[in-house]
Amino acid sequence: EADVPATSTEKDAPALEESPQVWNELDPDMIRTLSSFGLEARIDKYKGRCVHATRTFQPGEVILKQDALALTLFSNEQGASVRCHVCLKLSNNLRRCSRCKYAHYCCEEHQRQAWKTHAKECKRLEAFSAAGRQPTPMVLVLSRVLDSQEREAAGKEDTPAGRRHADLTTLASHYGEHPQESMIGFANLAQVLLRYMGWIDPNTGEQAGGKDEAPSMQALVEGFCRLACNCHSITDADLRPFGIGCFPLAALVNHSCRPNAVQTYKGQGIAFRAMERVEAGDEVTISYVDVASPSGARSRELSSRYLFKCQCRLCQAPESEDERVKEATLGDEAACRAAQREAAAA
């Protein structure tokens, strides 16, 4: 349930000139969506895909925003039982779904609004709970991604560029490159998902009759690999995580230990706000890890969880300079928190 934002590298990126080139192979609708924000996707020799500004952004200005393709709330003191599952606001007067007993809503309107997607999930949650099981947040997110894909295919959902299933599948999964223990974990999650979706009987483990053909185990494991690299933790104004969301357009934005943008959340949307003046041509970056951590700790976390080695100036500094590095980055952490609080109050 820790922060698992976008992947920062494409290992198979073509060797290009030193200056990042405009990435014209991106879906045209994605190109237009980025352009509407004053952004463009480029290919970098070392980092692969990256997002650059095509105009100037002032500190505090929204650089990019989008609603989630899928999200879920954690079962913690800040999450599923104390927040509306539509607007994600804290409330002491929530309506609980009488059937699944999982979903909560702050008002009747939000309960009605959610029903078109919750109706199918509600039956699954009820059946899974009756079998003494509870889906994990990652299982819920991938199940909602698959439900969205089904609605798109049936023409029941007019999904904008940046939050379509096809946009998610263009992101790196690093399938087979994750640590062995992670791959085993993803395989176990795939087994849970098969039971949760009703493709396998949760009690007997046998294939359920009368169900649509299930995706292959490899496809499901790869789906979890992709989510692990490209989801964002949803946090409150104090940066405490209470959920996880899949934002394919936002996942194009890379990591930096000295980021120029910070992610903020409102409802089911994510927004990147400029922490400093971002000039046209600058790459837009956020931090995937605690910017106040020593360089060694940041490097280990980025390598083990996000499968790349950060080459920024701070990470290349000798371990003996850790205190100077931490001092240099504490201002960024304060700016992150200030931007989060400003967005939450808006």
Side-chain angles (χ1 to χ4, degrees), residues 13-14 16-17 19-23 41-45 48-50:
L16 300 174
E17 300 297 328
S19 178
Q21 305 296 302
V22 175
W23 186 33
R42 298 182 183 180
I43 287 286
D44 181 87
K45 179 178 179 180
R49 287 183 294 211
C50 47

Side-chain angles (χ1 to χ4, degrees), residues 45 88 104 106 117 125 129 186 229 292 296 324:
K45 179 178 179 180
L88 308 191
H104 291 73
C106 64
T117 55
L125 287 165
S129 177
F186 296 148
C229 289
R324 184 187 61 79

